[in-house]
Amino acid sequence: MWHREEMVHPLSCPVDEPNIDMPESVRSRYLEASRVVALSPTSAAALLRLALQLLLEEILGESSTGNIFKDINILKQRPLDSSLIKALDIIRISGNESVHPGTLNLAENKDDALYLFDLLNMICDQCFTQPRKMQEMYERLPESKRIIPIEAS
């Protein structure tokens, strides 16, 4: 149900389900953000920034600094698609702008806030789903014909 240009019921917004391989700590923030985005796109962006920080900790493991900017810079040193780094930076900056006065106003442009959900799912797809699917496919190949043993991958 909408009142003027704001959704009043249900409180959640129709965003995509979280990526199947999204770590649970990240998934819980993603779902929380999906419940508040209709009421406060700014709050949703802040929650998605927190989700991104948790995601970076999952991706980097012990290499994580706990600082989102530094962690993204660590990932920049890896052979990654530049679109992944851009997606990380978009969520970082949008989340920062939502909690600190800045130039972005997600309350005025809800579509930008909604796009952050897509970006988080894309990051999970590239970092978790695609490698998992590749590994599953590789494991189905005859072992005698593989160049890389399963243990080494």
Side-chain angles (χ1 to χ4, degrees), residues 15-81:
V15 298
D16 288 340
E17 289 292 316
N19 177 286
I20 192 166
D21 295 308
M22 186 179 285
E24 187 54 42
S25 61
V26 179
R27 176 185 302 273
S28 65
R29 295 296 173 254
Y30 180 101
L31 293 172
E32 183 179 357
S34 74
R35 289 189 294 271
V36 301
V37 70
L39 296 173
S40 175
T42 304
S43 297
L47 286 165
L48 291 173
R49 185 208 174 278
L50 174 58
L52 176 63
Q53 187 162 2
L54 296 169
L55 183 62
L56 288 167
E57 290 172 7
E58 289 283 338
I59 293 169
L60 292 171
E62 292 182 16
S63 300
S64 174
T65 65
N67 177 301
I68 200 167
F69 182 78
K70 290 179 182 177
D71 284 354
I72 291 172
N73 278 319
I74 290 170
L75 283 177
K76 281 174 57 176
Q77 306 308 313
R78 295 184 179 180
L80 298 171
D81 187 309

Side-chain angles (χ1 to χ4, degrees), residues 67-126:
N67 177 301
I68 200 167
F69 182 78
K70 290 179 182 177
D71 284 354
I72 291 172
N73 278 319
I74 290 170
L75 283 177
K76 281 174 57 176
Q77 306 308 313
R78 295 184 179 180
L80 298 171
D81 187 309
S82 65
S83 65
L84 177 68
I85 301 302
K86 288 176 185 174
L88 295 167
D89 224 20
I90 290 168
I91 297 172
R92 177 187 68 84
I93 292 168
S94 298
N96 284 349
E97 293 278 322
S98 68
V99 293
H100 304 294
T103 56
L104 293 177
N105 186 348
L106 294 174
E108 289 180 4
N109 193 348
K110 293 176 185 174
D111 289 340
D112 287 350
L114 293 173
Y115 188 59
L116 300 177
F117 291 91
D118 292 338
L119 290 175
L120 200 59
N121 271 332
M122 286 185 237
I123 294 165
C124 287
D125 181 67
Q126 192 168 346

